[in-house]
Amino acid sequence: MGRHKFGIAAALLALLLLAWMWPEGETPPSGTLTATEPTGTEAPASSAAEEAPATEEAPEAPETSGGAGTTPAGSPSAEAPASTSPPPAAEPASNAYDGPLGTRNHTGDDSVALTFDDGPSPEWTPKVLDMLRERGIKAVFCVIGAYAEAYPELVADIAREGHTLCNHSWYHEFDLGTWSEEEIRANLQRTNDAILKAAPGADVAYFRHPGGQWTDKAIGVAADLGMESLHWAVDPSDWDDKTTERQIREHVLDRTGPGAIVLLHDGASNQQDMCGALTSILDEFEDRGYAYSAL
């Protein structure tokens, strides 16, 4: 019996010592259940020079067979609508070229421009086109040359429905602006050739540098090829599969006022959440009375 009591006392003493030594506020070990869950707060804001984090992955190689993409299909996730703050004031027309190195990041009037990057995607670009067609909205599609070559019918659909085409480099080369002028020109020309082969007679009036990593050299070569360099004013990081539908929606609605150019993605890795958010975004923009520009 004495040995049993001694064992109980030793166990109690060990527990008291463990409680005394455990650091206050220490993160519980991995796998420990806690009372906290990630909240649906908006995606972090970033300045124009920081819009494309270095962690953004380059697009996956296109399927040359023209089959469906590898992004899992499914209906957009349902989330409770979140209240938003009043819309920002209109941007002065003088701020149209207020992007990095003088690139265009506003429409120059009270209209809003929706831009969709990193496509065309055989799974998601048709869905985006359907949503825009239903509301009579024209937008800008910044296409990757390799994808334009793999899915020419989607580029043709974009042009046929009256949207604006934008050169987004051959294969989303983040460091494109650091290449030689000859290399940059070859990349952009190859992309334009793929776009125009898919949509003969289309006007490729804009160039958007991958990741917004602009250089004077890239801007100059694009201008030589007849393209204006197009940046953005609003970036919800919808390419990141860690960004939720609610975060995308709140970020866009909180930061988009008349004159804004909004960056979204019909290609990348998070289109289901983007498409889910887009419906609510367009509903709210309609309530605000926004007009749209395809630039």
Side-chain angles (χ1 to χ4, degrees):
M1 178 63 72
R3 186 180 307 168
H4 180 67
K5 291 181 179 179
F6 177 77
I8 294 175
L12 290 172
L13 180 61
L15 288 172
L16 289 172
L17 284 172
L18 181 61
W20 177 74
M21 294 174 63
W22 189 266
E24 184 176 359
E26 186 75 16
T27 302
S30 176
T32 303
L33 294 177
T34 67
T36 59
E37 290 287 346
T39 59
T41 54
E42 67 186 53
S46 53
S47 66
E50 299 172 338
E51 292 290 355
T55 54
E56 181 178 358
E57 297 180 358
E60 295 181 1
E63 297 179 9
T64 55
S65 63
T70 57
T71 307
S75 58
S77 57
E79 296 187 16
S83 59
T84 59
S85 56
E91 284 289 334
S94 59
N95 287 359
Y97 293 89
D98 199 30
L101 301 179
T103 52
R104 186 173 183 179
N105 66 341
H106 291 93
T107 62
D109 55 29
D110 285 345
S111 64
V112 170
L114 301 177
T115 65
F116 296 91
D117 284 19
D118 295 357
S121 158
E123 181 172 3
W124 296 102
T125 300
K127 290 179 172 63
V128 172
L129 289 173
D130 288 346
M131 296 170 74
L132 298 177
R133 188 188 313 110
E134 289 171 1
R135 298 172 185 256
I137 297 170
K138 305 302 180 188
V140 181
F141 286 80
C142 301
V143 303
I144 293 174
Y147 291 0
E149 184 177 78
Y151 310 115
E153 70 283 356
L154 295 178
V155 177
D157 288 343
I158 291 169
R160 188 182 304 114
E161 298 197 18
H163 302 290
T164 298
L165 287 163
C166 169
N167 182 319
H168 199 35
S169 80
W170 179 254
Y171 195 56
H172 209 275
E173 295 87 355
F174 283 108
D175 62 346
L176 178 66
T178 67
W179 298 5
S180 70
E181 289 188 5
E182 293 74 18
E183 290 171 325
I184 296 172
R185 182 172 288 102
N187 182 291
L188 299 188
Q189 187 62 62
R190 184 183 183 189
T191 302
N192 278 351
D193 290 346
I195 293 172
L196 294 174
K197 184 177 180 180
D203 182 22
V204 186
Y206 296 97
F207 163 63
R208 174 170 282 169
H209 197 294
Q213 297 183 14
W214 298 100
T215 65
D216 288 322
K217 195 188 312 181
I219 292 170
V221 171
D224 289 344
L225 294 174
M227 295 182 292
E228 184 177 341
S229 291
L230 184 65
H231 197 67
W232 55 81
V234 180
D235 174 16
S237 296
D238 63 309
W239 53 266
D240 188 344
D241 58 12
K242 297 182 180 65
T243 306
T244 68
E245 178 182 321
R246 180 174 178 174
Q247 287 174 321
I248 296 167
R249 179 176 65 245
E250 289 186 352
H251 187 105
V252 172
L253 294 181
D254 287 348
R255 287 165 172 75
T256 303
I261 295 176
V262 182
L263 170 64
L264 297 167
H265 292 77
D266 62 324
S269 61
N270 194 29
Q271 286 68 51
Q272 181 166 324
D273 283 318
M274 188 283 292
C275 283
L278 185 58
T279 298
S280 299
I281 290 169
L282 298 181
D283 286 343
E284 175 63 22
F285 284 1
E286 184 175 341
D287 290 343
R288 294 179 185 180
Y290 287 173
Y292 294 94
S293 170
L295 302 177

